[in-house]
Amino acid sequence: MTDRIRLNDMVFYGYHGVQPEERMLGQRFQVDVELQVSLRAAGRDDDIQQTVNYVDVYRRVEQILTGPPLKLIEAVAERIAECLLTEFPTTERVSVRVRKPQVPIPGAILGSTEVRIERDRTGVK
């Protein structure tokens, strides 16, 4: 399948991180998601019921990022992927990128750290 829906550069404030300061003070996170889903029927019929609603995807990602803190952005990405595959059953595959723009590495100068994961329906409950 080559049809995709992408939500790029979503920004949220959350409290994820290994360091106690990250979990207390919080920081910005940037998220991109890409869902592989057939868009043929929605495009043909101009019917939102036959696609994945971007607003619903955004709200679910927002709930995860602003919700209970996790230590690793890998865990954040995994929760997002699992949620999107579970709650949007027409999605066959999902790619999730989570970026942390301000990394607390003493003396480090870098733009961000990032994880990217890809998951498909295999193993979805």
Side-chain angles (χ1 to χ4, degrees), residues 43-62:
R44 180 189 60 233
D45 299 339
D46 195 25
D47 181 3
I48 196 166
Q49 299 301 316
Q50 297 183 42
T51 188
V52 173
N53 188 322
Y54 314 151
V55 174
D56 296 338
V57 172
Y58 180 92
R59 293 292 176 226
R60 291 303 290 130
V61 173
E62 178 182 42

Side-chain angles (χ1 to χ4, degrees), residues 5-124:
I5 293 174
R6 291 185 179 137
L7 283 78
N8 300 311
D9 300 320
M10 295 180 281
V11 178
F12 305 101
Y13 199 86
Y15 294 85
H16 311 286
V18 173
Q19 303 302 320
E21 298 82 16
E22 294 176 287
R23 296 167 74 84
M24 185 176 64
L25 300 173
Q27 61 193 298
R28 285 183 319 118
F29 292 87
Q30 299 167 332
V31 180
D32 304 327
V33 296
E34 177 179 281
L35 295 84
Q36 288 186 15
V37 59
S38 176
L39 303 176
R40 184 180 309 270
R44 180 189 60 233
D45 299 339
D46 195 25
D47 181 3
I48 196 166
Q49 299 301 316
Q50 297 183 42
T51 188
V52 173
N53 188 322
Y54 314 151
V55 174
D56 296 338
V57 172
Y58 180 92
R59 293 292 176 226
R60 291 303 290 130
V61 173
E62 178 182 42
Q63 288 174 342
I64 292 166
L65 265 291
T66 61
L70 297 166
K71 292 178 184 169
L72 304 177
I73 58 175
E74 291 88 340
V76 173
E78 195 67 42
R79 294 260 171 97
I80 293 168
E82 182 179 327
C83 170
L84 297 180
L85 287 167
T86 301
E87 295 190 21
F88 303 97
T90 58
T91 299
E92 291 300 319
R93 184 171 191 79
V94 66
S95 174
V96 178
R97 293 193 323 172
V98 178
R99 285 182 300 287
K100 187 185 275 193
Q102 290 127 358
V103 185
I105 302 173
I109 300 173
L110 66 136
S112 65
T113 58
E114 172 180 294
V115 298
R116 179 175 181 237
I117 65 169
E118 294 185 16
R119 300 292 181 265
D120 60 24
R121 300 214 62 73
T122 306
V124 174

